[in-house]
Amino acid sequence: MADNIPAHGSSSPQATQEQDGERKKRPAPAARVPRPPRMPVHGVLLLDKPADLSSNDALIRAKRMLNAPKAGHTGTLDPFATGLLPLCFGEATKFSQDLLEADKTYEAVVHLGIKTDTGDTEGQVIGEHAVEIGAAQIEAALAQYRGDILQVPPMHSALKRDGKPLYEYARAGITLEREARAVTIHHLEMLAYQAPMLTIRVTCSKGTYIRVLGEDIGQALGCGAHLNALRRTGVGPLTLAGAVTLEQLEAAGELAQRKDMLLPVDGLLQSFAAVQLPDELARRFLHGQRLALGKEGVAVPEQAGRVRVYRVSDGCLLGTGLLQEYAILAPERLVSTA
């Protein structure tokens, strides 16, 4: 008799059948909708980046909406900053370095009288000072920072020391010595001033930290300062005119409509003079051959240097080249889709 008693914790055949029946009634998990295969996308998206989003996160979202396999941005904006962030897709990524090297234009709001440990609104207040400053004093301070200046990079930056970004040291409470770097402030003007808020416009060389510029202006005025807002309005020849937001890109709906928002690949190269090659010379150029354009009767720009190169028959961009002495054209970066 005892052998017929179920062991403690075991189920009877009837109970097992009921449990199996319950399992069968459970709905199957919904099948994942396969993502469409990524197709080549070539061009430049002028993105108006929102605040509180990193440049890399903005790139990832745009790349996903365009279903693009290859993309990159042309110089980061701090998460709290807004404005122009050119995103390069496909063949355009070959020319993104040109924008990394390009001058940038910003509009910034400098909060006078309050210093933070990061130089912007994301830090902790480390000093306060009354602001009793007039426009003439501000103009005198701005004059000190026009032209070639030296700037010490901030600890809260992505510059690396021993393979680790400076901001990681800063978060650990460590301050390292940093060498001052030469930068150029091409243009610096006061747009508005209503104490304690000073609005400025800056056009500067690569590597310039507007946070540091704001702090330096505050120091020159004797009251300290931090950056309250920052908006990038220009990168090289590109401006916010025609830029789109992530919301606008998403609202475009169909992939074809989203792709229509991109500039062509040569949108990055408009500051370079153009050279037009007949088909046979275009073929040789794409094979990496140097061309003696003077002997071929091809019109060349007056000045030597970097040029954008096209095929005459269809207007297709072939890439960039270096126009050298005696009208010699040497291929530089070639477009694989030409």
Side-chain angles (χ1 to χ4, degrees):
M1 295 289 292
D3 292 339
N4 295 327
I5 300 174
H8 179 69
S10 65
S11 301
S12 67
Q14 182 179 357
T16 301
Q17 291 174 1
E18 290 175 355
Q19 291 171 1
D20 288 343
E22 288 176 1
R23 290 195 196 103
K24 292 176 183 177
K25 292 177 184 177
R26 290 175 185 166
R32 292 185 62 183
V33 178
R35 188 175 181 84
R38 291 183 172 179
M39 302 297 291
V41 178
H42 306 290
V44 182
L45 181 70
L46 300 184
L47 181 69
D48 188 347
K49 188 190 86 67
D52 302 322
L53 188 68
S54 74
S55 297
N56 194 54
D57 287 342
L59 173 65
I60 291 171
R61 288 178 58 179
K63 183 180 177 182
R64 186 181 299 120
M65 283 189 272
L66 287 163
N67 202 30
K70 184 178 182 181
H73 58 67
T74 56
T76 59
L77 276 174
D78 288 337
F80 89 100
T82 68
L84 186 60
L85 181 67
L87 304 180
C88 297
F89 296 89
E91 289 297 292
T93 60
K94 294 180 177 179
F95 309 104
S96 60
Q97 184 65 32
D98 298 307
L99 289 190
L100 289 172
E101 304 287 330
D103 294 338
K104 315 291 193 301
T105 299
Y106 300 89
E107 291 184 4
V109 178
V110 181
H111 190 155
L112 302 178
I114 296 180
K115 294 180 63 176
T116 70
D117 57 0
T118 60
D120 57 31
T121 58
E122 297 183 330
Q124 300 295 318
V125 174
I126 57 173
E128 296 189 51
H129 196 284
V131 178
E132 298 176 355
I133 295 165
Q137 292 169 279
I138 291 173
E139 180 53 43
L142 297 184
Q144 300 177 40
Y145 297 100
R146 296 187 181 111
D148 298 329
I149 64 171
L150 293 176
Q151 200 178 65
V152 177
M155 278 300 301
H156 287 269
S157 70
L159 290 177
K160 291 188 176 180
R161 179 77 61 84
D162 297 328
K164 196 162 73 171
L166 290 181
Y167 62 76
E168 290 191 11
Y169 293 100
R171 289 170 182 171
I174 301 171
T175 300
L176 302 177
E177 289 292 324
R178 288 97 64 206
E179 286 189 13
R181 303 192 305 179
V183 297
T184 302
I185 306 297
H186 301 289
H187 179 84
L188 175 58
E189 67 171 317
M190 176 172 60
L191 297 180
Y193 175 54
Q194 186 171 358
M197 299 298 185
L198 166 66
T199 303
I200 58 175
R201 180 183 290 128
V202 186
T203 300
C204 54
S205 64
K206 70 165 187 174
T208 303
Y209 288 92
I210 307 301
R211 275 183 294 152
V212 174
L213 179 62
E215 290 182 302
D216 287 346
I217 291 170
Q219 182 174 345
L221 291 169
C223 63
H226 73 276
L227 209 59
N228 180 267
L230 180 65
R231 182 164 178 77
R232 188 158 67 189
T233 60
V235 178
L238 304 177
T239 69
L240 278 170
V244 300
T245 64
L246 288 170
E247 289 74 18
Q248 289 172 324
L249 184 64
E250 185 172 17
E254 296 295 328
L255 183 58
Q257 280 70 45
R258 291 175 180 173
K259 288 184 178 180
D260 285 343
M261 293 181 167
L262 273 62
L263 296 176
V265 172
D266 63 355
L268 298 177
L269 307 173
Q270 294 305 302
S271 61
F272 300 159
V275 171
Q276 306 283 343
L277 297 181
D279 285 8
E280 175 56 24
L281 291 183
R283 184 190 65 79
R284 290 168 54 191
F285 180 81
L286 288 173
H287 280 82
Q289 296 182 25
R290 290 157 54 92
L291 305 175
L293 298 185
K295 296 179 180 179
E296 301 289 351
V298 175
V300 296
E302 293 183 3
Q303 288 189 329
R306 296 187 68 196
V307 293
R308 48 195 165 106
V309 184
Y310 297 86
R311 185 165 47 222
V312 173
S313 60
D314 58 4
C316 179
L317 175 71
L318 306 180
T320 57
L322 292 175
L323 187 61
Q324 301 170 336
E325 194 176 10
Y326 306 115
I328 301 297
L329 178 64
E332 186 193 32
R333 297 175 192 157
L334 302 179
V335 174
S336 62
T337 55

